[in-house]
Structures are given as structure tokens and as C-alpha cells.
């Protein structure tokens, strides 16, 4: 029998607030983190809204000089890791550093640095490009920095599978513990892509909402009037720990990471397989891995992007796996409040799923006002719901056809 992995710490840097408590309180209230873009002048863009992290000061978590050598994406991850370790009560010396790993998800990486330095190259020439350009830009640097700062010598990697990145990362962290390759793994994801080039690219794809005059109402997963996703930013780090290790140090346990399943649509570079079979396979495989039946699931945190195709196809996929029971499971998209954190989406949604187990509350899908006949499940519209959550399932579906599903369950000795 494989070893069990539990979650003992949560570190959250989000558009709904910094820290776990601020994030959860806003989520349960149904508060939107979407606002007009403030990080640059977006007046010439078709989409001028995003879910930005507003109350983040990197110097609260790291040295000023150190922060200047990190992209915003890495700053978020380093800060979230500090919060997660504090939340887990995991002080230096409480774990063998050779058996502490870091596995993060990141879809794009240091795109702000990339954009800035390419601008310098074009206007001021190659000699003015920063020597830190490459290490600030590359997607794996967040995981590397966390290990360098805390002297973690265990397995260390970064998963890049677009919007499924963090789901895959947490799943791979689970496997490291199950294979007894680590006692503790920091996992989750980070993203900071609210920059002109990324916004322009998504606008050209016609993938984002243009409901600019009412930003808080723009992200409306499963609603018939949905018109695209809203980009977000932030980082979430979960401390996964081998059960025996957590018990030996008297750690508080939030929940157990019970299962992980993945698949590929092998269909299109951006569009999901229209019959939902890829997402359905990931969910079915995750449940099988967890040794659970579909009717044992209490809550589904959907990928729920607020795009016409995703929401319809994900609904179909849930029906394929859960059959008639699909209509009795609360399904919500917390992206309606956080926006879409791209490669970090799976991390923030894992945190929401775990906290739903802890608090017995399912967060809502806000802005759900116009039922779509092709999206006919219980999306927990507009208000959080008190529900005993014993098993939560969280989906991540990414460009390239990447699908990854995680299963969390209430910890039982």
C-alpha cells in the first residue's frame, strides 16, 4: 500500500487578499477580485480588466536586493512558500532537508521580465540587457529560489502544462510522497502575466471577457451570457507531508491528497475535445487512484473558465463520469471571483477545495444569472452553501489538451 500524503500548510497570495484567512473570507462572501487593470495603461485594449494582486509588498517576505532579481511571478511564489511553511509550523530542523522537495506549476513564467528586457534590447541595444534576464524569466526559477532560500535539497521541478500546471504539480508531489522519495513537498503554482503582451495575445484569440464597464460581473462561469475568461495572478503553495511525518511532529492536518488522474485530449491546441472525453478520463482516473466511487464526491471545484466552450464541455465531462448523480453534486467555479490564474489556477483551486472540507462550506459561482440549457448542473449560484464536504474533486484543463484532476478528502486516521 502506498504512503499517504496530507496537507499541513497553505500559503496564499491572491487577488482576494494575501493570506489564507483573507482569501477564504472573501471567497465565502462571493467577493470578486476583478477590477480595471492598474499595472499598465490598458485603454487601447479590447479587454481592460483583470484580477490583480493589490496588497503585495515583496519586501515583507524577502530582502529588497533579492526581490529586485526576481520576476513578480517568482516573488509571489517565494512569499507564498514562506506563508505556507509558517502555516504548517514547519521550522528549520523539523524535516530532513534532503527529503524536502518543491514541485511547482507555472504556465508562462517571467513574462513581465521578458517584455521589459526585449524593450531594452530594441531601444538601448544588447549591452544594456540585464545579466539577470534569463534567470528572472525562466519558469523553473520560483521552485529553485524556494529551495535556495530554505536549503531544501530534495526533488525539485516545475511543471508547465498551461492551465493544468498546478494540478499536475500537486499530483506529482503526491507521487513523490507515495514513492517515499520525500517526507515534505511544497507544491502549487505561481503566475504573474498581467502584462501588455499577454493581454494582447489573449485579446487576439478572443478568449477574454470584454465586459469592461462592470468588471466584478465579467467572469460568469456556466452563465448563458458568458463571453470569456478574466485573467488573474498570484501564487498558492500547499505543504504536502507524509502522514507519518506529520503525525510525528504533531502537525495540524487540513485534508488528505487522495487521488490524481491525468489525460490528454489529443484534439486541438486551444479548444477542448467537444465531447468532453479527455476531461472525463482525468476525473475517472483520479477517482480510481483514490479508491473512491463517483457518488462519494461531495463537491467539484470546476475548471469553469467562463468561456463558451470550456463550461459546456466540462459539464458534459462531469455527466459522463457521474451519470445521474452529477445533478446532485455541488459544482462551483471559484474563478468567478479570483479570475483565471493560468498556471497557478490549480493551486488556488486546490486551496479552495481543501478549505471547503475544513469549513464545511462550498464557495459559490458568482454572476450566475442566466441559465444555459447546455450547462444544467448545480453550480452553487451566487451564495456559498453550508455542506459537509468529505471528498472534493478539482479539475484543471489546459491548452494543448492537458487535463489533470485532484481528489482531496477529509483526513481520517
Amino acid at each position: 500500500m502506498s504512503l499517504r500524503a496530507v496537507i499541513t500548510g497553505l500559503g496564499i497570495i491572491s487577488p482576494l487578499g494575501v493570506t489564507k484567512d483573507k482569501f477564504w473570507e472573501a471567497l465565502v462572501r462571493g467577493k470578486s477580485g476583478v477590477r480595471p487593470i492598474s499595472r499598465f495603461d490598458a485603454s487601447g485594449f479590447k479587454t481592460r480588466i483583470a484580477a490583480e494582486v493589490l496588497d503585495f509588498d515583496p519586501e515583507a517576505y524577502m530582502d529588497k536586493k533579492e526581490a529586485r532579481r526576481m520576476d513578480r511571478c517568482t516573488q509571489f511564489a517565494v512569499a507564498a512558500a514562506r506563508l505556507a511553511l509558517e502555516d504548517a509550523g514547519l521550522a528549520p530542523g523539523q524535516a530532513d532537508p534532503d527529503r524536502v522537495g518543491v514541485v511547482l506549476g507555472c504556465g508562462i513564467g517571467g513574462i513581465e521580465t521578458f517584455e521589459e528586457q526585449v524593450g531594452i534590447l530594441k531601444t538601448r541595444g544588447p549591452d544594456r540587457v540585464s545579466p539577470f534576464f534569463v534567470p528572472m524569466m525562466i519558469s523553473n526559477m520560483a521552485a529553485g529560489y524556494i529551495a535556495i532560500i530554505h536549503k531544501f535539497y530534495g526533488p525539485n521541478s516545475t511543471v508547465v502544462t498551461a492551465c493544468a500546471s498546478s494540478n499536475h504539480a500537486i499530483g506529482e508531489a503526491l507521487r513523490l510522497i507515495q514513492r517515499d522519495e520525500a517526507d515534505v513537498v511544497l507544491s502549487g503554482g505561481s503566475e504573474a502575466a498581467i502584462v501588455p503582451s499577454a493581454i494582447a495575445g489573449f485579446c487576439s484569440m478572443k478568449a477574454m471577457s470584454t465586459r469592461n464597464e462592470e468588471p466584478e460581473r465579467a467572469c460568469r462561469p456556466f452563465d448563458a451570457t458568458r463571453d470569456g475568461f478574466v485573467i488573474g495572478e498570484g501564487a498558492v503553495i500547499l505543504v504536502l507531508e507524509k502522514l507519518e511525518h506529520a503525525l510525528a511532529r504533531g502537525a495540524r492536518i487540513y485534508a488528505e491528497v487522495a487521488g490524481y488522474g491525468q489525460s490528454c485530449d489529443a484534439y486541438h491546441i486551444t479548444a477542448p475535445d467537444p465531447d468532453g472525453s479527455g476531461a472525463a478520463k482525468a476525473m475517472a482516473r483520479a477517482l480510481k487512484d483514490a479508491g473512491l466511487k463517483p457518488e462519494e464526491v461531495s463537491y467539484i471545484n470546476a475548471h469553469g473558465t467562463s468561456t463558451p466552450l470550456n463550461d459546456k464541455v466540462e459539464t458534459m465531462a462531469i455527466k459522463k463520469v457521474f451519470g445521474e448523480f452529477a445533478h446532485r453534486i455541488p459544482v462551483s467555479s471559484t474563478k468567478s471571483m479570483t479570475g483565471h490564474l493560468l498556471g497557478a489556477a490549480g493551486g488556488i483551486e486546490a486551496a479552495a477545495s481543501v478549505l471547503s472540507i475544513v469549513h464545511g462550506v462550498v464557495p459559490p459561482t458568482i454572476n450566475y444569472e442566466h441559465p444555459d440549457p447546455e450547462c444544467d448542473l448545480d453550480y452553487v449560484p451566487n451564495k456559498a452553501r453550508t455542506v459537509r464536504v468529505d471528498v472534493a474533486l478539482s479539475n484543471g484543463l489546459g491548452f494543448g489538451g492537458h487535463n489533470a484532476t485532484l481528489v482531496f478528502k477529509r483526513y481520517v486516521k
Side-chain angles (χ1 to χ4, degrees):
M1 185 175 177
S2 61
L3 296 167
R4 296 167 69 183
V6 293
I7 295 167
T8 57
L10 294 170
I12 300 176
I13 306 290
S14 87
L16 298 181
V18 171
T19 75
K20 168 195 69 183
D21 294 337
K22 287 182 181 178
F23 164 74
W24 181 248
E25 188 270 335
L27 207 66
V28 170
R29 279 199 295 123
K31 179 183 176 184
S32 172
V34 181
R35 311 167 186 89
I37 291 172
S38 66
R39 293 194 56 76
F40 64 91
D41 180 4
S43 58
F45 291 73
K46 291 178 181 175
T47 293
R48 300 185 292 278
I49 55 176
E52 297 176 337
V53 175
L54 298 181
D55 52 351
F56 177 70
D57 176 10
E59 291 177 41
Y61 306 94
M62 66 203 80
D63 176 75
K64 183 177 181 179
K65 183 178 179 181
E66 196 175 55
R68 288 178 61 196
R69 295 177 176 180
M70 296 180 192
D71 185 84
R72 184 170 169 87
C73 176
T74 300
Q75 291 176 352
F76 283 162
V78 167
R82 284 198 182 278
L83 290 172
L85 289 167
E86 289 172 8
D87 189 52
L90 195 61
Q94 283 195 301
D96 178 354
D98 283 326
R99 291 184 57 82
V100 180
V102 183
V103 184
L104 298 188
C106 186
I108 296 179
I111 191 170
E112 185 172 56
T113 296
F114 183 86
E115 190 174 273
E116 177 187 83
Q117 293 299 315
V118 167
I120 290 171
L121 171 65
K122 289 184 175 181
T123 58
R124 300 168 66 186
D127 292 341
R128 303 307 296 271
V129 170
S130 170
F132 295 101
F133 172 33
V134 172
M136 287 175 70
M137 173 193 69
I138 51 182
S139 299
N140 64 301
M141 197 48 64
Y145 252 118
I146 291 167
I148 291 166
I149 290 167
H150 298 283
K151 302 300 178 189
F152 295 151
Y153 303 111
N156 191 296
S157 61
T158 300
V159 180
V160 182
T161 49
C163 307
S165 298
S166 291
N167 295 68
H168 278 120
I170 295 167
E172 294 308 314
L174 169 65
R175 296 290 185 249
L176 286 174
I177 290 174
Q178 288 176 330
R179 296 194 300 261
D180 202 21
E181 294 180 36
D183 295 327
V184 177
V185 185
L186 276 67
S187 191
S190 185
E191 203 80 271
I194 303 174
V195 299
S197 57
I199 301 297
F202 284 125
C203 282
S204 292
M205 291 174 65
K206 296 181 171 59
M208 293 199 297
S209 173
T210 55
R211 201 182 291 260
N212 297 302
E213 305 313 313
E214 40 185 6
E216 294 184 352
R217 300 181 67 232
C219 192
R220 43 187 51 236
F222 306 106
D223 184 273
T225 64
R226 64 192 184 275
D227 71 330
F229 80 91
V230 176
I231 194 170
E233 63 176 359
V236 174
I237 302 291
L238 293 77
V239 177
L240 276 69
E241 196 164 350
K242 186 167 71 175
L243 176 59
E244 291 80 2
H245 191 275
L247 292 175
R249 69 180 188 87
R252 172 199 50 208
I253 294 173
Y254 284 109
E256 182 171 353
V257 189
Y260 166 48
Q262 56 179 320
S263 70
C264 185
D265 287 351
Y267 173 75
H268 188 270
I269 57 171
T270 57
D273 186 333
D275 71 359
S277 59
K281 287 174 186 174
M283 284 186 270
R285 290 168 184 172
L287 288 171
K288 182 179 179 182
D289 187 51
L292 295 169
K293 298 174 183 177
E295 57 268 27
E296 292 179 90
V297 173
S298 317
Y299 166 52
I300 298 174
N301 187 293
H303 190 60
T305 57
S306 187
T307 56
L309 265 182
N310 174 91
D311 298 0
K312 170 188 170 182
V313 169
E314 189 174 9
T315 297
M316 292 171 62
I318 291 169
K319 289 179 184 178
K320 280 179 183 286
V321 175
F322 292 90
E324 281 304 307
F325 187 67
H327 294 276
R328 304 208 298 272
I329 308 172
V331 178
S332 71
S333 172
T334 45
K335 285 185 180 74
S336 59
M337 294 167 279
T338 67
H340 191 345
L341 272 63
L342 309 180
I348 200 165
E349 287 152 24
S353 300
V354 167
L355 290 170
S356 74
I357 293 171
V358 172
H359 295 287
V361 176
V362 169
T365 303
I366 68 167
N367 301 320
Y368 185 83
E369 299 168 337
H370 307 91
D372 180 344
E374 293 186 303
C375 297
D376 58 350
L377 300 178
D378 174 7
Y379 302 114
V380 194
N382 304 311
K383 284 189 176 183
R385 186 181 302 165
T386 300
V387 177
R388 179 182 169 89
V389 180
D390 289 316
V391 177
L393 181 149
S394 186
N395 286 331
L397 317 174
F399 283 179
H402 302 290
N403 307 304
T405 297
L406 298 167
V407 178
F408 303 96
K409 71 178 183 180
R410 183 179 299 277
Y411 166 65
V412 179
K413 291 181 181 179

